[in-house]
Amino acid sequence: MSDEFEDMGPVDYLVIEFPGNRMTGKGLPLLLDLVDRGIIRILDLSFVRKDADGSVVGVELRDIDADGELDLTVFEGSSSGLLGQDDLDEAGAALEAGSSAGILIYENLWAAPLARELRRGGAQLVAGGRIPVQALLASLDAMEESGGSAAA
């Protein structure tokens, strides 16, 4: 394993749907802040659109904002080559027709020192996942209704 990969933090991906192809850009400053503060490193950022007939097409960053209100030029060139057409098709399959999505692959820089030391000690990640906020809230609501309490 090269030193570059040995020193990397965990890598995650997100597929963020914009129903009705409405991208407001409200989260973009927060994404840039995470990058600027060294919390994450964007490896890939791509966009797709799912048309009414179900076809999925890639969308260039400059084509996303037809009204010129979003400045997406800062993200141009955010491509490591990790995302392939199969990945874009798979992301598109999860979308509702008439929607678009941003597909983000990022390295968790904040966790890189921990990951590096664990790898050096022979440890390896064998499972991971994410708990959707909706599922967490439903679980907490169910516990509250049953009179239980969450562990701290």
Side-chain angles (χ1 to χ4, degrees), residues 37-113:
R37 292 190 295 143
I39 295 171
I40 67 167
R41 176 172 59 132
I42 296 174
L43 301 175
D44 269 299
L45 178 62
S46 294
F47 291 87
V48 294
R49 182 184 69 235
K50 187 170 189 175
D51 292 331
D53 66 0
S55 61
V56 177
V57 295
V59 179
E60 294 290 325
L61 280 176
R62 64 181 167 272
D63 296 335
I64 288 179
D65 185 30
D67 62 10
E69 289 184 24
L70 293 179
D71 181 11
L72 299 173
T73 55
V74 70
F75 294 111
E76 286 182 355
S78 295
S79 177
S80 66
L82 289 172
L83 277 174
Q85 187 59 48
D86 290 347
D87 300 312
L88 299 179
D89 291 340
E90 187 175 333
L95 300 178
E96 293 292 325
S99 294
S100 57
I103 303 148
L104 176 67
I105 297 179
Y106 61 96
E107 175 188 2
N108 291 285
L109 293 174
W110 62 269

Side-chain angles (χ1 to χ4, degrees), residues 135-152:
L136 182 62
L137 292 174
S139 178
L140 291 172
D141 286 345
M143 284 178 31
E144 189 175 285
E145 289 175 10
S146 70
S149 63

